[in-house]
Amino acid sequence: MTPSPTSSSSGRSAVGRRAVLGAAAAVASAPALGALATPAAAAPSGRGKSPKALPGGGDLGPNVIVFDPSTPGIQATLDEVFKKQESAQFGTGRYALLFKPGSYHGLNAQIGFYTSIAGLGLSPDDTTINGDITVDAGWFNGNATQNFWRSAENLAVVPVNGTNRWAVAQAAPFRRMHVRGGLNLAPNGYGWASGGYIADSRIDGQVGPYSQQQWYTRDSAIGGWLNGVWNMVFSGVEGAPGQSFPNPPYTTLTTTPISREKPFLYLNGSEYRVFLPEKRTNAHGVTWGNGTPRGTSLPLSQFYVAKPGVTAATLNEALTQGLHLLLTPGIYHLDRPVEVNRANTVVLGLGYATLVPDNGVTALKVADVDGVRLAGFLIDAGPVNSATLLEVGPQGASADHSANPTTVQDVFIRIGGAGPGKATTSMVINSRHTLVDHTWVWRADHGDGVGWETNRADYGVRVNGDDVLATGLFVEHFNKYDVQWFGQRGRTIFFQNEKAYDAPNQAAIQNGSIKGYAAYKVADSVTTHEGWGLGSYCYYNVDPSIVQHHGFAAPNAPGVKFHNLLVVSLGGQGQYERVINDTGSPTSGTSTVPSTVVSYP
């Protein structure tokens, strides 16, 4: 390990958590930049055989802003979007900034909340920004732990000073990117940071996490990795550091068992299409390194291009007609579930399109069918309790989807923060072989509508289906279990968790005779399960005397195995007695030093 000025020994990553380092971001509403937008368009498909049929294709709306190298005033447009979104943590603005293939010069695209920047080529190298794509934390006094809900995808970047800064927290994926230089994951001044996720990307130079507490990198290529604070996990990464947990805290798998990259919008000449990357087994490195990626594509004419204000009934009618869904940026209120019943359906969001279930409904349900792809949207719980927010497969789903699994990618769930929200269980995975590739399921610890009962949410993710793989699982602050796993042969590569800050007292979290609910609980009926690089942190700031017995709970069975676990008490605000079951040393005092278990049992 190369020492850094903000390694764990420096204390820079110690106590400063999101809820106590400052007030929540100012709520700001961002109206459409209608005068600046160049709406993308595709001709309607003419699929409908009757006047009532919904058309495919069409305009992508004012909050999808498309640039080509000859577009005037690109920097001014980028700056205006950033000004609206920089501190709009719980605002209503949503933006997608799309760059047509070509070379762009002298740009600094600063990326704020609910903003996605992406290239429109088949390969990242088709669209080159000679400049920077920047996330920093000036809006929050140099603290990057609240830099959520933003993304970069499918671009090549040639940084001005040789290193690009991407100081993000949760729900901020960096996908299909080529950085022709280094990548700095810390804010200016090396303040606190809590991220993050990279996939299918090539960073020619070194990645410097500095103060980042944890990070997951999948199926990528890097020129080097500088340091680690608590939990750095790599699977299928060329150039990754060797396995060395806990010192340095690197968990390294040579390959990713199963992966299928996220669908993405691109241009074929003047025609918009959506590319669907193929499934890979035991993947290593990027999908696009030798030119055209492998997979299939669909014309935009096969998508219903949804705009905010559309009803759930209309979305379901489009699905019934056989159309896919493209959710353009904005907020969608749903009075009934969106129901995906057809195999191979794509539901793709742009610019953090947000689904809000009203009157306690489930936002989205998927049938027990092959190959559904859910990607790139946020589900925000409504004020009336929903039993569930996302269901993949009905209860009792049992079909074999090993050849063509459903994927859930960059699908984020929030309960509270933008206002009171409630849900009993946020994400339920019933279908076998589902791939959950990067999610952040968050019961808000700050913002509007936050309190132990105000945004009550007992369970984060529940996996009932067999053979489910999670790569990049972030689940935080639930009133009871954050993750419950009932399916057989489940696997998780990288898990990040914080227990709920706001438990009022020990009795509020008591789980029968056990002190507290584990962050990650494998059911007693499970005989085969495996996890790599899993961390749980506690910060019981309402009652710092609360004791959590363990972060992880699992049956003692030969087929249930864990590698590289840690628990951390942040500044002594609550303590763990053990890491997993009754194994592992307790956290101690205010030292904010992880207690680790390298292998269990």
Side-chain angles (χ1 to χ4, degrees), residues 150 169-175 195-199 216 218 352 408-412 427 435-440 469-474 494:
R150 63 199 75 198
Q170 287 77 11
F174 198 78
R175 287 185 182 270
Y197 176 91
I198 293 171
Y216 175 51
R218 177 183 63 71
Y352 286 81
V408 181
Q409 298 178 286
D410 300 347
V411 173
F412 308 117
M427 180 184 293
L435 301 179
V436 180
D437 174 45
H438 190 227
T439 188
W440 185 40
L469 171 63
T471 52
L473 185 60
F474 299 74
F494 181 88

PDB file of all heavy atoms in Angstrom, residues 150 169-175 195-199 216 218 352 408-412 427 435-440 469-474 494:
ATOM      1  N   ARG A 150     -25.730  10.888  -9.772  1.00  0.00           N
ATOM      2  CA  ARG A 150     -25.152  11.484 -10.984  1.00  0.00           C
ATOM      3  C   ARG A 150     -24.340  10.395 -11.674  1.00  0.00           C
ATOM      4  O   ARG A 150     -23.965   9.407 -11.043  1.00  0.00           O
ATOM      5  CB  ARG A 150     -24.282  12.694 -10.628  1.00  0.00           C
ATOM      6  CG  ARG A 150     -23.082  12.341  -9.762  1.00  0.00           C
ATOM      7  CD  ARG A 150     -22.523  13.570  -9.053  1.00  0.00           C
ATOM      8  NE  ARG A 150     -23.373  13.975  -7.946  1.00  0.00           N
ATOM      9  CZ  ARG A 150     -23.340  15.183  -7.376  1.00  0.00           C
ATOM     10  NH1 ARG A 150     -22.512  16.107  -7.836  1.00  0.00           N
ATOM     11  NH2 ARG A 150     -24.123  15.470  -6.368  1.00  0.00           N
ATOM     12  N   ALA A 169     -20.219   9.915  -4.085  1.00  0.00           N
ATOM     13  CA  ALA A 169     -20.677   8.996  -3.052  1.00  0.00           C
ATOM     14  C   ALA A 169     -21.525   7.910  -3.725  1.00  0.00           C
ATOM     15  O   ALA A 169     -21.238   7.510  -4.854  1.00  0.00           O
ATOM     16  CB  ALA A 169     -21.451   9.763  -1.976  1.00  0.00           C
ATOM     17  N   GLN A 170     -22.606   7.487  -3.065  1.00  0.00           N
ATOM     18  CA  GLN A 170     -23.421   6.394  -3.599  1.00  0.00           C
ATOM     19  C   GLN A 170     -24.242   6.852  -4.803  1.00  0.00           C
ATOM     20  O   GLN A 170     -24.472   8.032  -5.027  1.00  0.00           O
ATOM     21  CB  GLN A 170     -24.346   5.866  -2.492  1.00  0.00           C
ATOM     22  CG  GLN A 170     -23.654   5.053  -1.418  1.00  0.00           C
ATOM     23  CD  GLN A 170     -22.894   5.882  -0.417  1.00  0.00           C
ATOM     24  OE1 GLN A 170     -23.010   7.098  -0.364  1.00  0.00           O
ATOM     25  NE2 GLN A 170     -22.088   5.206   0.403  1.00  0.00           N
ATOM     26  N   ALA A 171     -24.688   5.854  -5.586  1.00  0.00           N
ATOM     27  CA  ALA A 171     -25.591   6.069  -6.729  1.00  0.00           C
ATOM     28  C   ALA A 171     -24.994   7.003  -7.766  1.00  0.00           C
ATOM     29  O   ALA A 171     -25.682   7.841  -8.343  1.00  0.00           O
ATOM     30  CB  ALA A 171     -26.953   6.591  -6.253  1.00  0.00           C
ATOM     31  N   ALA A 172     -23.691   6.864  -8.016  1.00  0.00           N
ATOM     32  CA  ALA A 172     -23.004   7.730  -8.970  1.00  0.00           C
ATOM     33  C   ALA A 172     -22.067   6.904  -9.846  1.00  0.00           C
ATOM     34  O   ALA A 172     -20.848   6.999  -9.751  1.00  0.00           O
ATOM     35  CB  ALA A 172     -22.238   8.825  -8.232  1.00  0.00           C
ATOM     36  N   PRO A 173     -22.629   6.080 -10.732  1.00  0.00           N
ATOM     37  CA  PRO A 173     -21.810   5.141 -11.500  1.00  0.00           C
ATOM     38  C   PRO A 173     -20.942   5.819 -12.555  1.00  0.00           C
ATOM     39  O   PRO A 173     -21.301   6.849 -13.127  1.00  0.00           O
ATOM     40  CB  PRO A 173     -22.853   4.232 -12.163  1.00  0.00           C
ATOM     41  CG  PRO A 173     -24.093   5.066 -12.221  1.00  0.00           C
ATOM     42  CD  PRO A 173     -24.069   5.909 -10.984  1.00  0.00           C
ATOM     43  N   PHE A 174     -19.815   5.179 -12.790  1.00  0.00           N
ATOM     44  CA  PHE A 174     -18.831   5.586 -13.808  1.00  0.00           C
ATOM     45  C   PHE A 174     -18.694   4.365 -14.711  1.00  0.00           C
ATOM     46  O   PHE A 174     -18.002   3.409 -14.383  1.00  0.00           O
ATOM     47  CB  PHE A 174     -17.521   5.923 -13.092  1.00  0.00           C
ATOM     48  CG  PHE A 174     -16.526   6.741 -13.864  1.00  0.00           C
ATOM     49  CD1 PHE A 174     -16.686   8.110 -13.995  1.00  0.00           C
ATOM     50  CD2 PHE A 174     -15.387   6.159 -14.401  1.00  0.00           C
ATOM     51  CE1 PHE A 174     -15.737   8.885 -14.656  1.00  0.00           C
ATOM     52  CE2 PHE A 174     -14.427   6.922 -15.067  1.00  0.00           C
ATOM     53  CZ  PHE A 174     -14.606   8.287 -15.201  1.00  0.00           C
ATOM     54  N   ARG A 175     -19.423   4.355 -15.849  1.00  0.00           N
ATOM     55  CA  ARG A 175     -19.533   3.166 -16.699  1.00  0.00           C
ATOM     56  C   ARG A 175     -19.015   3.441 -18.108  1.00  0.00           C
ATOM     57  O   ARG A 175     -19.250   4.517 -18.662  1.00  0.00           O
ATOM     58  CB  ARG A 175     -21.001   2.728 -16.829  1.00  0.00           C
ATOM     59  CG  ARG A 175     -21.612   2.075 -15.607  1.00  0.00           C
ATOM     60  CD  ARG A 175     -23.029   1.601 -15.950  1.00  0.00           C
ATOM     61  NE  ARG A 175     -23.717   0.997 -14.828  1.00  0.00           N
ATOM     62  CZ  ARG A 175     -23.683  -0.303 -14.534  1.00  0.00           C
ATOM     63  NH1 ARG A 175     -22.984  -1.134 -15.295  1.00  0.00           N
ATOM     64  NH2 ARG A 175     -24.343  -0.779 -13.498  1.00  0.00           N
ATOM     65  N   GLY A 195     -17.860   6.408  -1.442  1.00  0.00           N
ATOM     66  CA  GLY A 195     -18.403   5.891  -2.708  1.00  0.00           C
ATOM     67  C   GLY A 195     -18.222   4.384  -2.743  1.00  0.00           C
ATOM     68  O   GLY A 195     -18.030   3.783  -1.697  1.00  0.00           O
ATOM     69  N   GLY A 196     -18.251   3.844  -3.896  1.00  0.00           N
ATOM     70  CA  GLY A 196     -18.497   4.312  -5.235  1.00  0.00           C
ATOM     71  C   GLY A 196     -18.386   3.110  -6.178  1.00  0.00           C
ATOM     72  O   GLY A 196     -18.118   1.988  -5.755  1.00  0.00           O
ATOM     73  N   TYR A 197     -18.514   3.330  -7.482  1.00  0.00           N
ATOM     74  CA  TYR A 197     -18.661   2.215  -8.429  1.00  0.00           C
ATOM     75  C   TYR A 197     -18.105   2.583  -9.803  1.00  0.00           C
ATOM     76  O   TYR A 197     -18.440   3.634 -10.361  1.00  0.00           O
ATOM     77  CB  TYR A 197     -20.151   1.875  -8.553  1.00  0.00           C
ATOM     78  CG  TYR A 197     -20.500   0.809  -9.572  1.00  0.00           C
ATOM     79  CD1 TYR A 197     -20.557  -0.533  -9.212  1.00  0.00           C
ATOM     80  CD2 TYR A 197     -20.791   1.150 -10.885  1.00  0.00           C
ATOM     81  CE1 TYR A 197     -20.901  -1.506 -10.148  1.00  0.00           C
ATOM     82  CE2 TYR A 197     -21.128   0.186 -11.823  1.00  0.00           C
ATOM     83  CZ  TYR A 197     -21.181  -1.138 -11.449  1.00  0.00           C
ATOM     84  OH  TYR A 197     -21.517  -2.100 -12.363  1.00  0.00           O
ATOM     85  N   ILE A 198     -17.276   1.707 -10.340  1.00  0.00           N
ATOM     86  CA  ILE A 198     -16.748   1.791 -11.703  1.00  0.00           C
ATOM     87  C   ILE A 198     -16.995   0.445 -12.389  1.00  0.00           C
ATOM     88  O   ILE A 198     -16.759  -0.608 -11.788  1.00  0.00           O
ATOM     89  CB  ILE A 198     -15.233   2.095 -11.703  1.00  0.00           C
ATOM     90  CG1 ILE A 198     -14.938   3.502 -11.164  1.00  0.00           C
ATOM     91  CG2 ILE A 198     -14.643   1.920 -13.096  1.00  0.00           C
ATOM     92  CD1 ILE A 198     -13.455   3.761 -10.939  1.00  0.00           C
ATOM     93  N   ALA A 199     -17.434   0.497 -13.652  1.00  0.00           N
ATOM     94  CA  ALA A 199     -17.581  -0.747 -14.418  1.00  0.00           C
ATOM     95  C   ALA A 199     -17.266  -0.502 -15.886  1.00  0.00           C
ATOM     96  O   ALA A 199     -17.500   0.591 -16.409  1.00  0.00           O
ATOM     97  CB  ALA A 199     -18.998  -1.308 -14.281  1.00  0.00           C
ATOM     98  N   TYR A 216     -16.053  -0.172  -5.320  1.00  0.00           N
ATOM     99  CA  TYR A 216     -16.113  -1.422  -6.081  1.00  0.00           C
ATOM    100  C   TYR A 216     -15.845  -1.125  -7.540  1.00  0.00           C
ATOM    101  O   TYR A 216     -16.459  -0.234  -8.141  1.00  0.00           O
ATOM    102  CB  TYR A 216     -17.495  -2.075  -5.930  1.00  0.00           C
ATOM    103  CG  TYR A 216     -17.684  -3.323  -6.778  1.00  0.00           C
ATOM    104  CD1 TYR A 216     -16.745  -4.355  -6.752  1.00  0.00           C
ATOM    105  CD2 TYR A 216     -18.799  -3.474  -7.595  1.00  0.00           C
ATOM    106  CE1 TYR A 216     -16.920  -5.496  -7.527  1.00  0.00           C
ATOM    107  CE2 TYR A 216     -18.984  -4.621  -8.367  1.00  0.00           C
ATOM    108  CZ  TYR A 216     -18.035  -5.628  -8.331  1.00  0.00           C
ATOM    109  OH  TYR A 216     -18.204  -6.759  -9.089  1.00  0.00           O
ATOM    110  N   ARG A 218     -15.480  -3.153 -11.327  1.00  0.00           N
ATOM    111  CA  ARG A 218     -15.813  -4.423 -11.982  1.00  0.00           C
ATOM    112  C   ARG A 218     -15.460  -4.364 -13.461  1.00  0.00           C
ATOM    113  O   ARG A 218     -15.717  -3.383 -14.145  1.00  0.00           O
ATOM    114  CB  ARG A 218     -17.322  -4.708 -11.805  1.00  0.00           C
ATOM    115  CG  ARG A 218     -17.792  -5.977 -12.505  1.00  0.00           C
ATOM    116  CD  ARG A 218     -19.270  -6.209 -12.381  1.00  0.00           C
ATOM    117  NE  ARG A 218     -20.095  -5.193 -13.007  1.00  0.00           N
ATOM    118  CZ  ARG A 218     -20.233  -5.019 -14.316  1.00  0.00           C
ATOM    119  NH1 ARG A 218     -19.556  -5.788 -15.171  1.00  0.00           N
ATOM    120  NH2 ARG A 218     -21.022  -4.076 -14.802  1.00  0.00           N
ATOM    121  N   TYR A 352     -31.743  10.167 -14.458  1.00  0.00           N
ATOM    122  CA  TYR A 352     -32.338   9.859 -13.154  1.00  0.00           C
ATOM    123  C   TYR A 352     -33.850  10.081 -13.133  1.00  0.00           C
ATOM    124  O   TYR A 352     -34.416  10.614 -12.183  1.00  0.00           O
ATOM    125  CB  TYR A 352     -31.624  10.627 -12.015  1.00  0.00           C
ATOM    126  CG  TYR A 352     -30.277  10.019 -11.731  1.00  0.00           C
ATOM    127  CD1 TYR A 352     -29.179  10.333 -12.534  1.00  0.00           C
ATOM    128  CD2 TYR A 352     -30.110   9.089 -10.731  1.00  0.00           C
ATOM    129  CE1 TYR A 352     -27.953   9.736 -12.336  1.00  0.00           C
ATOM    130  CE2 TYR A 352     -28.886   8.488 -10.503  1.00  0.00           C
ATOM    131  CZ  TYR A 352     -27.812   8.818 -11.317  1.00  0.00           C
ATOM    132  OH  TYR A 352     -26.597   8.210 -11.104  1.00  0.00           O
ATOM    133  N   VAL A 408     -30.787  -5.797 -13.048  1.00  0.00           N
ATOM    134  CA  VAL A 408     -31.221  -4.579 -12.360  1.00  0.00           C
ATOM    135  C   VAL A 408     -29.965  -3.746 -12.167  1.00  0.00           C
ATOM    136  O   VAL A 408     -29.107  -4.084 -11.350  1.00  0.00           O
ATOM    137  CB  VAL A 408     -31.885  -4.915 -11.011  1.00  0.00           C
ATOM    138  CG1 VAL A 408     -32.351  -3.658 -10.305  1.00  0.00           C
ATOM    139  CG2 VAL A 408     -33.042  -5.896 -11.198  1.00  0.00           C
ATOM    140  N   GLN A 409     -29.827  -2.658 -12.935  1.00  0.00           N
ATOM    141  CA  GLN A 409     -28.559  -1.928 -12.992  1.00  0.00           C
ATOM    142  C   GLN A 409     -28.787  -0.433 -12.819  1.00  0.00           C
ATOM    143  O   GLN A 409     -29.617   0.157 -13.512  1.00  0.00           O
ATOM    144  CB  GLN A 409     -27.870  -2.187 -14.337  1.00  0.00           C
ATOM    145  CG  GLN A 409     -27.530  -3.664 -14.530  1.00  0.00           C
ATOM    146  CD  GLN A 409     -26.906  -3.942 -15.874  1.00  0.00           C
ATOM    147  OE1 GLN A 409     -27.585  -3.927 -16.888  1.00  0.00           O
ATOM    148  NE2 GLN A 409     -25.610  -4.186 -15.893  1.00  0.00           N
ATOM    149  N   ASP A 410     -28.062   0.161 -11.896  1.00  0.00           N
ATOM    150  CA  ASP A 410     -28.227   1.591 -11.599  1.00  0.00           C
ATOM    151  C   ASP A 410     -29.696   1.906 -11.348  1.00  0.00           C
ATOM    152  O   ASP A 410     -30.215   2.955 -11.762  1.00  0.00           O
ATOM    153  CB  ASP A 410     -27.694   2.468 -12.730  1.00  0.00           C
ATOM    154  CG  ASP A 410     -26.214   2.252 -13.015  1.00  0.00           C
ATOM    155  OD1 ASP A 410     -25.543   1.608 -12.188  1.00  0.00           O
ATOM    156  OD2 ASP A 410     -25.740   2.726 -14.066  1.00  0.00           O
ATOM    157  N   VAL A 411     -30.373   1.006 -10.658  1.00  0.00           N
ATOM    158  CA  VAL A 411     -31.739   1.255 -10.195  1.00  0.00           C
ATOM    159  C   VAL A 411     -31.630   1.553  -8.702  1.00  0.00           C
ATOM    160  O   VAL A 411     -31.196   0.703  -7.921  1.00  0.00           O
ATOM    161  CB  VAL A 411     -32.666   0.058 -10.462  1.00  0.00           C
ATOM    162  CG1 VAL A 411     -34.036   0.278  -9.828  1.00  0.00           C
ATOM    163  CG2 VAL A 411     -32.817  -0.169 -11.966  1.00  0.00           C
ATOM    164  N   PHE A 412     -32.003   2.769  -8.333  1.00  0.00           N
ATOM    165  CA  PHE A 412     -31.791   3.245  -6.974  1.00  0.00           C
ATOM    166  C   PHE A 412     -33.141   3.476  -6.289  1.00  0.00           C
ATOM    167  O   PHE A 412     -34.108   3.866  -6.951  1.00  0.00           O
ATOM    168  CB  PHE A 412     -30.966   4.531  -6.996  1.00  0.00           C
ATOM    169  CG  PHE A 412     -29.697   4.396  -7.799  1.00  0.00           C
ATOM    170  CD1 PHE A 412     -29.478   5.156  -8.937  1.00  0.00           C
ATOM    171  CD2 PHE A 412     -28.724   3.473  -7.429  1.00  0.00           C
ATOM    172  CE1 PHE A 412     -28.315   5.021  -9.683  1.00  0.00           C
ATOM    173  CE2 PHE A 412     -27.559   3.324  -8.182  1.00  0.00           C
ATOM    174  CZ  PHE A 412     -27.354   4.100  -9.310  1.00  0.00           C
ATOM    175  N   MET A 427     -36.836  -3.503  -2.099  1.00  0.00           N
ATOM    176  CA  MET A 427     -36.555  -4.283  -3.310  1.00  0.00           C
ATOM    177  C   MET A 427     -36.696  -5.761  -2.989  1.00  0.00           C
ATOM    178  O   MET A 427     -36.055  -6.253  -2.060  1.00  0.00           O
ATOM    179  CB  MET A 427     -35.146  -3.990  -3.828  1.00  0.00           C
ATOM    180  CG  MET A 427     -34.769  -4.753  -5.095  1.00  0.00           C
ATOM    181  SD  MET A 427     -33.044  -4.497  -5.640  1.00  0.00           S
ATOM    182  CE  MET A 427     -33.068  -2.773  -6.117  1.00  0.00           C
ATOM    183  N   LEU A 435     -29.448 -10.681 -11.874  1.00  0.00           N
ATOM    184  CA  LEU A 435     -28.213  -9.950 -11.609  1.00  0.00           C
ATOM    185  C   LEU A 435     -28.582  -8.561 -11.099  1.00  0.00           C
ATOM    186  O   LEU A 435     -29.234  -7.793 -11.814  1.00  0.00           O
ATOM    187  CB  LEU A 435     -27.376  -9.803 -12.876  1.00  0.00           C
ATOM    188  CG  LEU A 435     -26.928 -11.073 -13.590  1.00  0.00           C
ATOM    189  CD1 LEU A 435     -26.117 -10.705 -14.843  1.00  0.00           C
ATOM    190  CD2 LEU A 435     -26.105 -11.948 -12.679  1.00  0.00           C
ATOM    191  N   VAL A 436     -28.181  -8.267  -9.882  1.00  0.00           N
ATOM    192  CA  VAL A 436     -28.355  -6.919  -9.332  1.00  0.00           C
ATOM    193  C   VAL A 436     -26.983  -6.265  -9.388  1.00  0.00           C
ATOM    194  O   VAL A 436     -26.098  -6.566  -8.585  1.00  0.00           O
ATOM    195  CB  VAL A 436     -28.895  -6.955  -7.893  1.00  0.00           C
ATOM    196  CG1 VAL A 436     -29.068  -5.533  -7.359  1.00  0.00           C
ATOM    197  CG2 VAL A 436     -30.218  -7.710  -7.835  1.00  0.00           C
ATOM    198  N   ASP A 437     -26.805  -5.412 -10.380  1.00  0.00           N
ATOM    199  CA  ASP A 437     -25.485  -4.833 -10.654  1.00  0.00           C
ATOM    200  C   ASP A 437     -25.529  -3.339 -10.375  1.00  0.00           C
ATOM    201  O   ASP A 437     -25.941  -2.539 -11.222  1.00  0.00           O
ATOM    202  CB  ASP A 437     -25.100  -5.105 -12.116  1.00  0.00           C
ATOM    203  CG  ASP A 437     -23.799  -4.410 -12.500  1.00  0.00           C
ATOM    204  OD1 ASP A 437     -22.836  -4.479 -11.709  1.00  0.00           O
ATOM    205  OD2 ASP A 437     -23.763  -3.786 -13.572  1.00  0.00           O
ATOM    206  N   HIS A 438     -25.124  -2.991  -9.199  1.00  0.00           N
ATOM    207  CA  HIS A 438     -25.048  -1.627  -8.691  1.00  0.00           C
ATOM    208  C   HIS A 438     -26.427  -1.075  -8.339  1.00  0.00           C
ATOM    209  O   HIS A 438     -27.195  -0.649  -9.208  1.00  0.00           O
ATOM    210  CB  HIS A 438     -24.344  -0.675  -9.657  1.00  0.00           C
ATOM    211  CG  HIS A 438     -24.056   0.656  -9.010  1.00  0.00           C
ATOM    212  ND1 HIS A 438     -24.323   1.865  -9.613  1.00  0.00           N
ATOM    213  CD2 HIS A 438     -23.550   0.963  -7.791  1.00  0.00           C
ATOM    214  CE1 HIS A 438     -23.965   2.855  -8.813  1.00  0.00           C
ATOM    215  NE2 HIS A 438     -23.497   2.329  -7.692  1.00  0.00           N
ATOM    216  N   THR A 439     -26.710  -1.092  -7.060  1.00  0.00           N
ATOM    217  CA  THR A 439     -27.905  -0.430  -6.551  1.00  0.00           C
ATOM    218  C   THR A 439     -27.544   0.271  -5.255  1.00  0.00           C
ATOM    219  O   THR A 439     -26.596  -0.125  -4.569  1.00  0.00           O
ATOM    220  CB  THR A 439     -29.052  -1.425  -6.327  1.00  0.00           C
ATOM    221  OG1 THR A 439     -30.250  -0.715  -6.006  1.00  0.00           O
ATOM    222  CG2 THR A 439     -28.752  -2.389  -5.183  1.00  0.00           C
ATOM    223  N   TRP A 440     -28.269   1.342  -4.972  1.00  0.00           N
ATOM    224  CA  TRP A 440     -28.219   1.969  -3.648  1.00  0.00           C
ATOM    225  C   TRP A 440     -29.650   2.070  -3.153  1.00  0.00           C
ATOM    226  O   TRP A 440     -30.467   2.777  -3.743  1.00  0.00           O
ATOM    227  CB  TRP A 440     -27.571   3.348  -3.699  1.00  0.00           C
ATOM    228  CG  TRP A 440     -27.394   3.993  -2.339  1.00  0.00           C
ATOM    229  CD1 TRP A 440     -27.015   3.378  -1.178  1.00  0.00           C
ATOM    230  CD2 TRP A 440     -27.581   5.377  -2.018  1.00  0.00           C
ATOM    231  NE1 TRP A 440     -26.949   4.302  -0.140  1.00  0.00           N
ATOM    232  CE2 TRP A 440     -27.288   5.528  -0.637  1.00  0.00           C
ATOM    233  CE3 TRP A 440     -27.952   6.499  -2.752  1.00  0.00           C
ATOM    234  CZ2 TRP A 440     -27.371   6.760   0.017  1.00  0.00           C
ATOM    235  CZ3 TRP A 440     -28.032   7.723  -2.114  1.00  0.00           C
ATOM    236  CH2 TRP A 440     -27.742   7.851  -0.746  1.00  0.00           C
ATOM    237  N   LEU A 469     -27.109 -13.111  -8.117  1.00  0.00           N
ATOM    238  CA  LEU A 469     -25.777 -12.521  -7.943  1.00  0.00           C
ATOM    239  C   LEU A 469     -25.922 -11.010  -7.810  1.00  0.00           C
ATOM    240  O   LEU A 469     -26.554 -10.361  -8.646  1.00  0.00           O
ATOM    241  CB  LEU A 469     -24.892 -12.846  -9.147  1.00  0.00           C
ATOM    242  CG  LEU A 469     -23.533 -12.132  -9.223  1.00  0.00           C
ATOM    243  CD1 LEU A 469     -22.625 -12.507  -8.060  1.00  0.00           C
ATOM    244  CD2 LEU A 469     -22.841 -12.433 -10.557  1.00  0.00           C
ATOM    245  N   ALA A 470     -25.330 -10.444  -6.762  1.00  0.00           N
ATOM    246  CA  ALA A 470     -25.296  -8.998  -6.576  1.00  0.00           C
ATOM    247  C   ALA A 470     -23.858  -8.527  -6.695  1.00  0.00           C
ATOM    248  O   ALA A 470     -22.972  -9.018  -5.989  1.00  0.00           O
ATOM    249  CB  ALA A 470     -25.858  -8.612  -5.215  1.00  0.00           C
ATOM    250  N   THR A 471     -23.627  -7.578  -7.599  1.00  0.00           N
ATOM    251  CA  THR A 471     -22.300  -6.980  -7.768  1.00  0.00           C
ATOM    252  C   THR A 471     -22.442  -5.476  -7.518  1.00  0.00           C
ATOM    253  O   THR A 471     -23.008  -4.762  -8.340  1.00  0.00           O
ATOM    254  CB  THR A 471     -21.751  -7.243  -9.184  1.00  0.00           C
ATOM    255  OG1 THR A 471     -22.712  -6.835 -10.164  1.00  0.00           O
ATOM    256  CG2 THR A 471     -21.439  -8.721  -9.375  1.00  0.00           C
ATOM    257  N   GLY A 472     -21.951  -5.037  -6.380  1.00  0.00           N
ATOM    258  CA  GLY A 472     -22.079  -3.629  -6.016  1.00  0.00           C
ATOM    259  C   GLY A 472     -23.386  -3.358  -5.316  1.00  0.00           C
ATOM    260  O   GLY A 472     -24.293  -2.733  -5.872  1.00  0.00           O
ATOM    261  N   LEU A 473     -23.508  -3.827  -4.054  1.00  0.00           N
ATOM    262  CA  LEU A 473     -24.751  -3.751  -3.285  1.00  0.00           C
ATOM    263  C   LEU A 473     -24.561  -2.737  -2.153  1.00  0.00           C
ATOM    264  O   LEU A 473     -23.795  -2.965  -1.223  1.00  0.00           O
ATOM    265  CB  LEU A 473     -25.075  -5.144  -2.743  1.00  0.00           C
ATOM    266  CG  LEU A 473     -26.393  -5.360  -2.007  1.00  0.00           C
ATOM    267  CD1 LEU A 473     -27.580  -5.044  -2.905  1.00  0.00           C
ATOM    268  CD2 LEU A 473     -26.482  -6.812  -1.511  1.00  0.00           C
ATOM    269  N   PHE A 474     -25.257  -1.615  -2.273  1.00  0.00           N
ATOM    270  CA  PHE A 474     -25.214  -0.562  -1.261  1.00  0.00           C
ATOM    271  C   PHE A 474     -26.610  -0.463  -0.637  1.00  0.00           C
ATOM    272  O   PHE A 474     -27.578  -0.144  -1.352  1.00  0.00           O
ATOM    273  CB  PHE A 474     -24.866   0.789  -1.881  1.00  0.00           C
ATOM    274  CG  PHE A 474     -23.530   0.882  -2.571  1.00  0.00           C
ATOM    275  CD1 PHE A 474     -23.301   0.293  -3.811  1.00  0.00           C
ATOM    276  CD2 PHE A 474     -22.490   1.614  -2.006  1.00  0.00           C
ATOM    277  CE1 PHE A 474     -22.084   0.412  -4.467  1.00  0.00           C
ATOM    278  CE2 PHE A 474     -21.267   1.747  -2.656  1.00  0.00           C
ATOM    279  CZ  PHE A 474     -21.055   1.145  -3.878  1.00  0.00           C
ATOM    280  N   PHE A 494     -19.028  -7.288  -3.036  1.00  0.00           N
ATOM    281  CA  PHE A 494     -19.048  -5.929  -2.482  1.00  0.00           C
ATOM    282  C   PHE A 494     -20.417  -5.592  -1.882  1.00  0.00           C
ATOM    283  O   PHE A 494     -21.449  -5.649  -2.549  1.00  0.00           O
ATOM    284  CB  PHE A 494     -18.696  -4.855  -3.512  1.00  0.00           C
ATOM    285  CG  PHE A 494     -18.693  -3.465  -2.896  1.00  0.00           C
ATOM    286  CD1 PHE A 494     -17.550  -2.954  -2.317  1.00  0.00           C
ATOM    287  CD2 PHE A 494     -19.843  -2.692  -2.877  1.00  0.00           C
ATOM    288  CE1 PHE A 494     -17.571  -1.692  -1.725  1.00  0.00           C
ATOM    289  CE2 PHE A 494     -19.869  -1.431  -2.305  1.00  0.00           C
ATOM    290  CZ  PHE A 494     -18.724  -0.936  -1.723  1.00  0.00           C
TER     291      PHE A 494
END
